[in-house]
Amino acid sequence: MDRVTAPGGVRARARVLARADGRGGTSLPVLEGEGPLAVRRTRGSGAEARVMLVGAMSGPLGGDHFTVTAEAAPGARLRVGSAAATLALPGQEKGGSHYDVRLTAGEDADLRWLPEQLISARGSDLYVGTRVDLAAGARLLLREEQVLGRAGEEPGRLTSRLTVRIEGRRVLDQELACGPGAPGGWDGPAGLAGHRAVGQLVVVRPEFAAAPPAARIVGEGAAVMPLAGPAALVTAVAADALRLRRLLDEALASLGRD
């Protein structure tokens, strides 16, 4: 599809739909992207279908609005990643940019949302809204990593909201605002405490209903917290993206194999 432009910036959408193929695998009947949101199927593993988001141009810039929708229908196995980091940049248009992510998993589906980090460049203003809806028996692994500024650079303004519902019940709804114009204290001891990389994992497994993971500290800067459902939240802060990924991987390993 072609790039879609409108007053105030670029509007672009990507959509992925995965279905169980009835032969023990997963098909991708819908794989669509516009302009800066190109989507590509990559080699899967077992019953899992894998999709890569490929940035066809810089962005989001000021005024842009991107929307990505990924759905794993009942029984499907879908993993979505990205080929590179997303870089939020200032643009010629006034106002902030938006990046909306909508994730859905049906009964007994397995959805893994594992993009590379989001970098908030100086002068940018980005709002990221991620909404997840899971049916009974669905499994989820969601990773978010945000880096405030490039090397030696002050960050832009970044606001991120994540909402997770399981069988219609909200188990997580949180928002983080960082950078110029954000509420005071975001970089203080109760916030990022001087760190410039922040990330989280949301892990949903049916077996957590009977045996929820214990709240604990993992490494230096990461914590695991059970949620009100068959789910756990891992939150981590670090000096840089590399250290952040290591902390998140260590915390995920502490939850056992999935």
Side-chain angles (χ1 to χ4, degrees):
M1 295 186 179
D2 295 329
R3 173 177 175 172
V4 178
T5 60
V10 173
R11 303 290 187 268
R13 295 177 179 272
R15 183 181 174 216
V16 179
L17 172 61
R19 292 189 184 280
D21 62 11
R23 303 186 302 274
T26 299
S27 64
L28 294 170
V30 178
L31 196 63
E32 302 173 343
E34 297 173 341
L37 294 176
V39 289
R40 302 286 185 268
R41 180 167 190 163
T42 61
R43 186 184 297 274
S45 175
E48 183 182 74
R50 295 188 179 184
V51 172
M52 191 73 69
L53 293 172
V54 181
M57 57 189 74
S58 296
L61 307 177
D64 290 352
H65 195 150
F66 296 170
T67 302
V68 177
T69 302
E71 178 182 354
R77 305 288 183 266
L78 175 63
R79 179 188 181 111
V80 183
S82 64
T86 297
L87 181 60
L89 294 165
Q92 295 182 349
E93 298 287 345
K94 294 183 179 180
S97 52
H98 287 73
Y99 200 129
D100 294 324
V101 178
R102 302 290 179 257
L103 307 176
T104 306
E107 292 186 9
D108 301 318
D110 188 314
L111 177 58
R112 295 169 184 253
W113 175 258
L114 300 169
E116 295 303 310
Q117 66 266 24
L118 168 65
I119 302 172
S120 174
R122 181 178 181 180
S124 64
D125 184 357
L126 177 63
Y127 179 90
V128 181
T130 302
R131 188 179 68 206
V132 185
D133 288 285
L134 305 175
R139 308 176 81 86
L140 173 74
L141 173 58
L142 178 149
R143 181 180 69 212
E144 286 189 342
E145 298 171 312
Q146 297 156 351
V147 179
L148 305 182
R150 293 168 290 192
E153 177 185 65
E154 290 299 310
R157 179 169 181 173
L158 177 62
T159 305
S160 175
R161 182 175 180 180
L162 172 61
T163 305
V164 179
R165 295 181 178 88
I166 302 176
E167 297 186 74
R169 179 188 180 191
R170 188 173 305 190
V171 299
L172 177 66
D173 192 345
Q174 66 176 24
E175 183 173 283
L176 174 68
C178 305
W186 67 269
D187 201 24
L192 301 190
H195 295 92
R196 283 298 177 264
V198 57
Q200 54 194 355
L201 299 171
V202 179
V203 184
V204 178
R205 300 175 185 169
E207 56 267 30
F208 284 169
R216 60 187 181 277
I217 301 298
V218 179
E220 185 176 348
V224 176
M225 290 292 295
L227 299 176
L233 172 68
V234 176
T235 303
V237 293
D240 55 44
L242 181 60
R243 175 59 182 163
L244 177 65
R245 178 66 62 84
R246 288 175 177 168
L247 280 171
L248 292 176
D249 286 348
E250 183 180 349
L252 181 60
S254 77
L255 293 173
R257 292 184 177 272
D258 184 13

